[in-house]
Amino acid sequence: VLLLRLDEKSRTPLHRQILERVKEKLLTGVVRPGERLPSTRALACKLGVHRSTVALAYQQLWALGYVDLRPGARPRARARALLAQPSDRTAPGLIDWRKVATPTANAALDEHRAAPPSSAQRAEPRAISFAPLEVDRRLFPLVRFRSCLSRAFDRYGEALMRYGAPAGFWPLRQTVAARLVAHGIAVTADDVLLTNGSQQAIDLVFRMIAQPGKTVAVESPTYNATIALLRLHGLKPVEIPLSGAGLDLQVLADAMRRNTPALVYTMPSFQNPTGLSTTQAHREGLLSLCEAQRVPILEDGFEEEMQYAGKVVLPLKSMDRRRVVIYAGTFSKVLFPGVRIGWVAADRECIDRLVALRRFSEIAPSMVAQAAIDEFCRDGSYDRHIARMHRVFRKRMRAALDALRTHIRPEWAEWSEPAGGYLIWLRLRPLPSRRSDLARALAEHGVEAGLGHVFFYSRRPPAHLRLSIATLTESEIAKGVLRLAAAFQELYSRRRA
Ligand SMILES: Cc1ncc(COP(=O)(O)O)c(C=O)c1O
């Protein structure tokens, strides 16, 4: 006999209580697999409930795999695999994921663990950080964006909750195309693919070309995540040194003669990490070199909108009459990165391939985010926001450069003055001590900055620091530079000592 205790006062329905009690008996071994359970009628009688209540409980036990039901026979307990319990998660698993994963995936994990993404890093709370290349969240136009989000829902309704097109939301493709036209880039919406940030744009392009043995020419130094991504795709970076004018075209031409790269990856404006922008002449030179060799260029215009000083220089893509340039852009570096929207504009044949790759890997980008950003652009909010960012960062950059000139001695470091963006690249004089002393000295003086070596692939460069003013106000910048000066003072006076 099956002894089940039901609680008539409980809010749990009786059939549910029967189910749970029987399950308990099975899981604790009181009833063993193969054993017969009472008939519906017998159990209903014994418990004083309606037969249909017991029948429902047995039905559900059958559906969950705990009993076998056969017409005319009593239910029979069934051996059922135990459900995984929360405690199982901490016990060692059966699969050795390091063996299952490729060496590149394992290397990516090692790299990821060694340097968590900056937003996940818990910065020393009192430190002033020149490290994150992420817009100051105090400048996020949240209220405005929220009303755009709600307007998008009013306008498009349930369409926002459906799968979107793999190339992106058509109205936003039109909007982005129009913005590119304003930067001198002659494209239409068909030439534009919307991506989850420009990082995905870069990833898709690398995926399109990836094959063992292929190389990609990159500036040295370059955006560190690009180096990691190239490795992940089995592509080999070929480092072309940056001079004050941009990547060294002669070195690039020689490298191309020796071994034609599959692609040249470049950031002509406000280069990460150096903040450098190349001249019109340099851009023309790079373009004609790549045209002559028929090598495509991936132009990363991640901060294109952030030109707030100096002469306007148009993107490479604006001169791209032979369609060798794949242009990537993003809303991350002016508006906010969490919305994850970027774009690629390129030859239609190239775009079609990128669209196909995206479609089979992640179907389509988020409709909600795209529609909201589109509203934000169309009602003029984006232009107003950009104008504000220019006002703010023109002052912040000036404050940073003034403070550097005042407090950082030429015998410690040199730097050049960017025409926009957020980055200043300090080339340090040879350090009297080890490189690790630099990080320690910065930490001790309550200041953080990007350590330069991560932006190089194989070259062992002298010490550099990447200063990002993206998250700091003028007074924070001034205070941060003073701390930097104190750290340098300590580091460089050691030599004399
Ligand atoms: C040079 C460069 N390109 C692309 C990206 C990727 O930005 P997102 O994917 O947010 O557009 C970054 C981010 O820091 C960057 O520095």
Side-chain angles (χ1 to χ4, degrees):
V1 284
L2 202 54
L3 282 172
L4 304 181
R5 210 183 292 273
L6 301 184
D7 178 1
E8 286 184 13
K9 292 204 193 88
S10 161
R11 285 164 67 180
T12 309
L14 289 171
H15 75 273
R16 188 84 220 165
Q17 291 190 42
I18 299 171
L19 182 153
E20 290 300 335
R21 301 292 123 76
V22 174
K23 207 169 99 181
E24 218 171 84
K25 304 268 181 213
L26 287 163
L27 293 177
T28 51
V30 175
V31 177
R32 271 192 288 274
E35 246 178 76
R36 297 238 178 245
L37 297 171
S39 69
T40 312
R41 188 153 46 112
L43 190 56
C45 223
K46 188 156 185 310
L47 296 174
V49 300
H50 200 274
R51 269 182 77 178
S52 62
T53 307
V54 178
L56 182 57
Y58 278 159
Q59 279 292 334
Q60 293 187 351
L61 282 163
W62 169 81
L64 292 168
Y66 288 104
V67 301
D68 281 329
L69 295 181
R70 228 163 284 141
R74 279 161 58 196
R76 195 191 283 272
R78 206 182 150 264
R80 188 199 183 287
L82 293 181
L83 293 182
Q85 301 300 311
S87 56
D88 292 332
R89 290 179 53 244
T90 47
L94 203 58
I95 308 292
D96 182 348
W97 294 105
R98 198 158 270 276
K99 277 198 187 133
V100 172
T102 61
T104 34
N106 290 327
L109 172 66
D110 295 339
E111 198 163 326
H112 170 69
R113 284 190 173 149
S118 57
S119 52
Q121 264 167 29
R122 221 168 311 139
E124 170 58 36
R126 281 185 308 269
I128 290 179
S129 185
F130 289 102
L133 177 48
E134 190 179 329
V135 182
D136 188 345
R137 62 200 151 118
R138 293 168 288 193
L139 299 172
F140 283 176
L142 281 189
V143 175
R144 191 81 224 125
F145 192 77
R146 190 165 58 191
S147 75
C148 290
L149 196 60
S150 128
R151 197 141 27 87
F153 271 104
D154 292 342
R155 197 188 300 279
Y156 299 107
E158 81 276 354
L160 293 193
M161 294 297 143
R162 302 186 55 200
Y163 282 121
F169 185 54
W170 179 252
L172 185 59
R173 291 173 76 192
Q174 289 176 311
T175 300
V176 167
R179 298 203 68 85
L180 291 175
V181 170
H183 282 283
I185 298 176
V187 288
T188 66
D190 295 295
D191 310 314
V192 172
L193 157 65
L194 298 173
T195 54
N196 285 326
S198 52
Q199 191 69 24
Q200 188 188 29
I202 302 170
D203 177 57
L204 288 172
V205 172
F206 288 175
R207 237 194 294 165
M208 179 178 70
I209 61 166
Q211 231 173 33
K214 278 196 180 175
T215 60
V216 170
V218 299
E219 288 144 355
S220 179
T222 189
Y223 172 38
N224 49 335
T226 295
I227 300 175
L229 196 54
L230 282 170
R231 260 201 241 120
L232 210 62
H233 284 292
L235 290 159
K236 189 169 182 300
V238 173
E239 294 180 285
I240 311 295
L242 270 183
S243 66
L247 58 78
D248 191 319
L249 292 178
Q250 192 52 54
V251 177
L252 178 63
D254 293 344
M256 278 182 167
R257 254 194 302 278
R258 281 196 302 277
N259 182 8
T260 313
L263 186 81
V264 174
Y265 170 76
T266 180
M267 293 162 271
S269 298
F270 323 120
Q271 203 255 3
N272 182 3
T274 62
L276 221 149
S277 297
T278 60
T279 60
Q280 185 68 28
H282 186 277
R283 293 176 191 211
E284 287 167 17
L286 175 59
L287 189 58
S288 65
L289 180 59
C290 290
E291 281 175 355
Q293 303 286 331
R294 295 181 186 236
V295 173
I297 298 173
L298 174 53
E299 176 177 22
D300 186 345
F302 72 118
E303 285 179 4
E304 203 74 72
E305 306 279 16
M306 281 305 287
Q307 163 114 32
Y308 47 72
K311 204 164 112 190
V312 173
V313 189
L314 293 178
L316 285 169
K317 183 71 184 155
S318 67
M319 300 174 277
D320 180 30
R321 301 180 60 194
R322 313 289 297 278
R323 298 199 302 282
V324 302
V325 180
I326 306 167
Y327 181 87
T330 178
F331 286 108
S332 291
K333 302 299 176 189
V334 189
L335 190 50
F336 16 64
V339 69
R340 305 306 303 136
I341 296 184
W343 55 86
V344 204
D347 188 302
R348 204 82 54 89
E349 282 290 317
C350 170
I351 288 294
D352 286 350
R353 282 167 175 78
L354 300 177
V355 171
L357 287 172
R358 117 80 67 78
R359 177 180 166 194
F360 296 122
S361 61
E362 56 132 32
I363 307 182
S366 150
M367 289 289 281
V368 175
Q370 293 179 95
I373 284 258
D374 192 46
E375 292 291 329
F376 193 82
C377 292
R378 280 177 197 251
D379 77 358
S381 298
Y382 191 45
D383 283 323
R384 282 192 294 278
H385 178 66
I386 292 173
R388 176 179 181 220
M389 294 290 283
H390 285 190
R391 280 196 305 277
V392 169
F393 279 94
R394 198 178 296 122
K395 283 198 209 144
R396 290 186 181 184
M397 184 57 85
R398 205 175 295 140
L401 294 170
D402 286 348
L404 287 171
R405 267 192 302 270
T406 313
H407 301 293
I408 305 296
R409 296 197 203 140
E411 60 268 30
W412 297 338
E414 58 170 10
W415 59 92
S416 31
E417 306 202 345
Y422 308 101
L423 301 176
I424 306 168
W425 182 239
L426 296 189
R427 293 178 293 276
L428 305 193
R429 306 290 177 205
L431 280 169
S433 44
R434 284 194 316 257
R435 204 194 298 263
S436 55
D437 292 345
L438 174 61
R440 194 195 37 74
L442 295 181
E444 277 174 14
H445 286 86
V447 61
E448 294 169 352
L451 296 177
H453 65 276
V454 303
F455 304 100
F456 294 87
Y457 171 61
S458 61
R459 281 198 314 135
R460 292 264 89 201
H464 295 86
L465 285 180
R466 188 190 78 172
L467 302 187
S468 164
I469 57 164
T471 60
L472 302 175
T473 62
E474 285 151 72
S475 64
E476 288 162 344
I477 290 169
K479 214 187 280 175
V481 171
L482 274 176
R483 294 183 184 183
L484 207 57
F488 286 162
Q489 171 75 52
E490 185 204 305
L491 277 169
Y492 285 93
S493 61
R494 249 187 237 157
R495 174 167 32 199
R496 264 173 271 132

